Amino acid sequence: GQSLEQPSEVTAVEGAIVQINCTYQTSGFYGLSWYQQHDGGAPTFLSYNALDGLEETGRFSSFLSRSDSYGYLLLQELQMKDSASYFCAVRPGGDSSYKLIFGSGTRLLVRP
Amino acid sequence: DTGVSQDPRHKITKRGQNVTFRCDPISEHNRLYWYRQTLGQGPEFLTYFQNEAQLEKSRLLSDRFSAERPKGSFSTLEIQRTEQGDSAMYLCASSLMGQGVPKYGYTFGSGTRLTVV
């Protein structure tokens, strides 16, 4: 089977740093993506890691360790607007498949 | 370009009725995906198209579900003989060919929320 595990909920204070972990078990691996979804909204792409290491985009960074089947999303200088659900997603297929498999999501609550 | 558009935003239907949803992707994107999302869960893959060809279907997609993408532009998802278990948000996404999971990712629409009563 294919599965992605991430915490269901995380709470943090405005201005702080939070890390959302994701471990995956899939038949293949072509990269780990992160998406943000506000209540009632569409998932929005945040980041993508195909190789080991850290990718930084503004306040958001994403890390991947392929040997550990593990990645995380790091959010710095948290703002109230960062309260949302965050999903990790893996493309497990080969050259002929471009579907993404999503985790169940981590609900982030940012408190004042 | 206004992104991925889905219509309708909400649909309430009686059990046993047929429903059809429409998705208009970003015009230059030639891959189109349908996902289903229930409350508190991540999107579940249903099917995807490259141009007009339907290349993959999930085992979740029963015979009551059918999707089309005539002429490789907009797509429709039809559910026949709806059941209460079909109640969910149906999301459409598009991406540009040649980039696998592109660095800018899939662009999702805001979804169609289906309620079967």
Side-chain angles (χ1 to χ4, degrees):
Chain A
Q2 314 199 77
S3 66
L4 291 87
E5 298 288 333
Q6 48 182 132
S8 59
E9 197 169 291
V10 172
T11 301
V13 177
E14 195 175 13
I17 299 172
V18 71
Q19 178 174 314
I20 299 174
N21 298 322
C22 174
T23 57
Y24 58 87
Q25 190 170 12
T26 56
S27 55
F29 181 80
Y30 283 78
L32 182 71
S33 303
W34 288 92
Y35 285 77
Q36 178 193 61
Q37 186 178 31
H38 288 96
D39 286 348
T44 304
F45 173 76
L46 291 178
S47 68
Y48 172 65
N49 295 69
L51 303 175
D52 288 357
L54 192 68
E55 293 272 348
E56 297 180 68
T57 308
R59 295 187 297 113
F60 294 1
S61 302
S62 58
F63 172 82
L64 175 66
S65 169
R66 295 174 66 128
S67 60
D68 295 324
S69 299
Y70 163 76
Y72 66 71
L73 179 69
L74 192 72
L75 296 82
Q76 303 181 72
E77 301 171 18
L78 281 173
Q79 303 176 7
M80 298 298 290
K81 68 178 181 180
D82 297 330
S83 291
S85 293
Y86 293 83
F87 298 92
C88 58
V90 168
R91 178 189 159 210
D95 288 342
S96 60
S97 177
Y98 295 91
K99 70 183 180 191
L100 290 179
I101 305 297
F102 285 81
S104 296
T106 299
R107 191 171 183 85
L108 171 64
L109 176 62
V110 180
R111 295 184 288 110
Chain B
D1 196 346
T2 56
V4 177
S5 299
Q6 292 189 245
D7 184 69
R9 289 297 307 274
H10 303 275
K11 178 71 178 178
I12 300 174
T13 190
K14 291 184 179 179
R15 190 174 52 187
Q17 297 294 304
N18 299 344
V19 294
T20 300
F21 311 140
R22 177 181 170 121
C23 172
D24 286 272
I26 292 174
S27 56
E28 60 265 31
H29 286 184
N30 48 16
R31 289 207 180 105
L32 185 148
Y33 313 81
W34 284 99
Y35 282 79
R36 179 172 67 188
Q37 186 177 29
T38 54
L39 197 62
Q41 298 298 313
E44 287 180 297
F45 172 77
L46 294 178
T47 188
Y48 92 92
F49 293 83
Q50 181 166 299
N51 300 313
E52 65 276 8
Q54 188 174 19
L55 296 188
E56 189 170 349
K57 290 173 61 174
S58 166
R59 283 173 285 181
L60 292 174
L61 216 63
S62 75
D63 291 344
R64 297 185 297 105
F65 288 71
S66 62
E68 294 183 341
R69 194 184 181 197
K71 303 178 183 177
S73 55
F74 71 93
S75 176
T76 59
L77 178 69
E78 181 184 17
I79 309 174
Q80 296 182 324
R81 305 181 302 281
T82 52
E83 302 172 355
Q84 286 188 319
D86 297 331
S87 295
M89 176 74 83
Y90 289 84
L91 293 166
C92 176
S94 67
S95 70
L96 187 59
M97 180 179 175
Q99 299 193 26
V101 176
K103 287 188 72 69
Y104 53 83
Y106 296 172
T107 302
F108 279 89
S110 296
T112 294
R113 181 167 295 284
L114 173 67
T115 302
V116 181
V117 298

